[in-house]
Amino acid sequence: MNKAEMLLAAPELLVLVMACVVMCVDVFLREERRGIIHMLAVLTLVFAAIITLRQDAGIPSKEVEYAFNGVFVRDYMGDLLKLFAYGTLALVFTYSKAFLRNNNLFRADFYTLSLFSLLGAMLMISGNSLIMVYLGLELTSLASYALVAFNRDSRDGSEAAMKYFVLGSMASGLLLYGMSMIYGATGTLALPDIAEALATSGTDNLVLVFGMVFLVVGIAFKLGVVPFHMWVPDVYQGAPLAATLFISTVPKLAAFAMAYRLLVSGMAPLHGDWLQMLAFLSVASIIIGNLAAIMQTNIRRMLAYSTISHMGFVLLGMLPGTATGYGASLFYIIVYALMSAAAFGMLILLSGKGHDVQDLDDLKGLNRHNGWFAAIMAMVMFSMAGVPPLVGFFAKWLVIEAVLQAGLTWVAITAVVFSVIGAFYYLRVVKIMYFDEAPGEAVHDGPVDFTAAISLNGLLMLALGLFSGGLITLCVTSFTA
C-alpha cells in the first residue's frame, strides 16, 4: 500500500477511523453530552464528502483510477453514489436524533453501526473484484442486522432482525457460491478480467451460467425484489423507525452499485442471459409491489411494498444495456433514496415518545395540525406516484424511455399500467391527511434542525423535478466518461 493508494481510499479510511472514534468516545461521555457523538458523525460525512471531491473542485473525476492491485476503483459513478450516500446518511442522522432521544436509544451504537454500514456500502461501490464486493456486502449487511435489533426491548425488532439475518445469510451464501463458480470457470476474481475471459473463451459454459444465476439471486435479495422480497415488509414494520429509515436509503444505493459492478463490469458478455432474468424480476416486482401496497393499512408495510415496486423500476433501466439505461437507473435510485428519507423522516416526526407510527390512520388530519408538514408529505407521495413536475415523474420517464428505445415495449406498457394503478395508495395518504378528521388535538412539531432538513428534503422533490437536467446529465455521463 503506497501513499497514492491511501489517498485514493481516503474517504473509506476516514469513515473507518471515525466509526472507531465515535465508539470509543461514547465510553467517556456523560449521557447529557452525547450530542457530541451526533456532531462527530455528521462531521465525518462532511469531511468524507470534501475528500471525495478533493481533486475536482465540486465535479467528480472522469478519470478511472485503481488501487490495491486493481481490487479498488475510483470512477465517476462511484463518486456520485458516495456523495449521495453521505447526504442521505446525514438526513438519517438528523431525523433519527429526536427519535433516539424519545425512546432512550441515544447511544453511540446507532452511529457506529451506521458508519460501518456506510463503509461497507463504499467498498461495494468501489469494488472491482468479487472479493471486495463481497466484503463490502457483508460489512453493510452485518451492521444492518444489528441496527434492526438495535432496540433490545422490542420483541418486533428482535423478530424482524432474526428474519433479516436468516434470509440475508442465505442470500449471501448463494452469492458467494455463485462467485466461486465464476472464479472456477474464469480463473480470476477481478471483474475486468472476468469480462475479458468471457469475451475470449465464450459464454457456453454451464458452470458460468449457474454462477451468474446465483449472482442475480444475491443482487435481487439485497434490492428486495420479487420473489426475494418477503423480508422487506416484515423488517420495515418491525425495526425501529430510525433503522428502517437507514435501510431504505444507503444500502439501496450500494445494492445498485453491486448490481452494476457484477453484471455490467464483470458479466457484460452474458447480457443476453441476465437480461431475461432481470426483466422477469423487475416486471414481477412492479406488479406485486403495487398490488400488495394497495391492500395495506399499515403505512410502513405500504412503503415497504412501494419500495419493492421502485426497485423493479431500477432494474428496468439496466435491461437495455446502454449508458442511457444505466444512467436512468442511477438517477432513479438516487431519487428513491431522497424520497424514502423524506417519507420515513415524516413518520419519525409524527411518532411520539414510546409510540411509533404504524397505521395510515395516524396521519388523519395532519393538514389541520400542521399544514406545512402535510404539504411536504403530499409532495413526497406525489413524487413517489410519478406526478409531474415532481422528480419522481422524471425518474420513471427516463427508465421507460430507455426501455422503449431497447424495443421492450411490453415491459414499458406493463410498468406504466401498474404505476398508474399504484398511484392509488399514494393518493390515499394525501386524502387521509387533508380530508379525514383527526381523532385528537395533537400538534406535530420538531426541532429546528429536523424541521429545516425535512423542509429542504421535501422541497428537493420539486426543485429536482423543475431543474432535473443537471443531475440527469451527471448520471448518464457516469457511464459514458
Side-chain angles (χ1 to χ4, degrees):
M1 183 188 298
N2 56 43
K3 183 180 176 183
E5 289 178 327
M6 289 188 69
L7 286 175
L8 209 59
E12 284 78 7
L13 293 173
L14 173 72
V15 173
L16 171 63
V17 170
M18 288 307 296
C20 297
V21 168
V22 168
M23 183 167 54
C24 295
V25 165
D26 183 55
V27 177
F28 303 100
L29 284 178
R30 293 194 300 273
E31 188 170 347
E32 62 270 18
R33 301 195 66 186
R34 280 188 172 148
I36 292 174
I37 295 170
H38 176 82
M39 184 186 68
L40 283 174
V42 173
L43 284 176
T44 301
L45 301 175
V46 171
F47 282 104
I50 292 171
I51 295 173
T52 302
L53 293 167
R54 64 194 183 282
Q55 296 177 346
D56 306 289
I59 301 174
S61 172
K62 290 185 178 181
E63 184 181 348
V64 179
E65 298 172 281
Y66 299 93
F68 314 123
N69 295 318
V71 301
F72 183 95
V73 59
R74 183 201 178 205
D75 59 8
Y76 198 114
M77 181 200 77
D79 282 354
L80 196 60
L81 275 174
K82 285 178 191 174
L83 289 172
F84 276 96
Y86 306 146
T88 51
L89 187 54
L91 289 175
V92 171
F93 286 156
T94 305
Y95 297 154
S96 301
K97 187 179 173 185
F99 174 85
L100 297 174
R101 284 190 187 279
N102 286 339
N103 292 279
N104 297 320
L105 297 171
F106 193 53
R107 306 187 299 263
D109 312 30
F110 179 81
Y111 294 92
T112 304
L113 290 169
S114 298
L115 288 176
F116 274 122
S117 190
L118 171 68
L119 176 60
M122 294 166 74
L123 295 180
M124 289 165 70
I125 291 169
S126 286
N128 197 41
S129 80
L130 297 177
I131 289 293
M132 180 62 81
V133 172
Y134 185 74
L135 287 177
L137 172 67
E138 284 303 290
L139 185 55
T140 300
S141 300
L142 290 173
S144 299
Y145 303 148
L147 278 173
V148 174
F150 179 63
N151 186 357
R152 287 169 291 190
D153 297 327
S154 169
R155 186 175 174 180
D156 291 342
S158 301
E159 182 182 337
M162 185 58 72
K163 287 179 183 175
Y164 193 20
F165 174 72
V166 171
L167 294 174
S169 300
M170 188 175 70
S172 294
L174 292 173
L175 183 71
L176 193 58
Y177 191 48
M179 288 178 171
S180 68
M181 285 184 167
I182 291 168
Y183 174 68
T186 61
T188 178
L189 293 171
L191 294 173
D193 293 344
I194 290 173
E196 188 178 342
L198 293 180
T200 305
S201 62
T203 57
D204 189 18
N205 185 328
L206 198 58
V207 175
L208 200 60
V209 174
F210 271 105
M212 182 205 66
V213 171
F214 284 120
L215 285 193
V216 172
V217 169
I219 292 167
F221 179 87
K222 294 306 172 186
L223 282 170
V225 294
V226 175
F228 308 101
H229 66 290
M230 298 307 292
W231 63 273
V232 181
D234 292 340
V235 171
Y236 274 43
Q237 182 182 6
L241 262 172
T244 308
L245 169 61
F246 175 81
I247 291 169
S248 68
T249 52
V250 177
K252 297 298 183 193
L253 295 171
F256 166 78
M258 181 176 76
Y260 177 80
R261 298 289 187 208
L262 293 180
L263 296 180
V264 181
S265 299
M267 311 289 286
L270 287 172
H271 175 255
D273 295 290
W274 55 257
L275 177 148
Q276 296 175 32
M277 295 181 67
L278 293 195
F280 167 76
L281 295 173
S282 54
V283 171
S285 299
I286 292 170
I287 294 173
I288 294 176
N290 280 314
L291 292 180
I294 289 174
M295 296 182 281
Q296 305 304 316
T297 56
N298 182 304
I299 189 167
R300 292 168 68 170
R301 291 186 76 85
M302 188 203 86
L303 289 173
Y305 281 107
S306 152
T307 298
I308 294 166
S309 165
H310 286 299
M311 292 306 107
F313 267 95
V314 171
L315 288 185
L316 274 189
M318 301 187 71
L319 298 183
T322 61
T324 306
Y326 300 138
S329 284
L330 178 58
F331 182 72
Y332 201 105
I333 198 72
I334 288 171
V335 168
Y336 167 77
L338 293 172
M339 293 190 299
S340 185
F344 282 104
M346 189 59 69
L347 297 191
I348 286 178
L349 179 71
L350 300 180
S351 297
K353 194 170 185 177
H355 168 70
D356 281 2
V357 165
Q358 290 282 352
D359 297 325
L360 285 167
D361 288 347
D362 290 330
L363 275 70
K364 278 185 175 180
L366 177 60
N367 180 54
R368 192 162 64 86
H369 292 316
N370 193 315
W372 176 239
F373 289 145
I376 291 172
M377 189 63 168
M379 278 195 287
V380 174
M381 291 295 109
F382 282 133
S383 184
M384 284 188 168
V387 175
L390 297 160
V391 68
F393 167 77
F394 294 100
K396 290 184 192 294
W397 176 273
L398 279 179
V399 168
I400 298 294
E401 187 181 29
V403 172
L404 282 173
Q405 286 175 354
L408 299 167
T409 308
W410 71 272
V411 175
I413 291 173
T414 306
V416 170
V417 169
F418 281 91
S419 188
V420 172
I421 293 172
F424 167 79
Y425 56 85
Y426 295 118
L427 297 179
R428 183 174 58 186
V429 174
V430 177
K431 174 254 178 190
I432 287 172
M433 291 191 301
Y434 280 87
F435 298 105
D436 286 8
E437 284 295 323
E441 294 298 324
V443 178
H444 304 291
D445 205 356
V448 175
D449 56 343
F450 190 117
T451 304
I454 203 159
S455 298
L456 177 64
N457 199 170
L459 289 173
L460 267 178
M461 301 299 103
L462 181 60
L464 284 177
L466 293 174
F467 307 101
S468 57
L471 182 56
I472 291 173
T473 303
L474 277 176
C475 291
V476 174
T477 308
S478 298
F479 303 98
T480 55

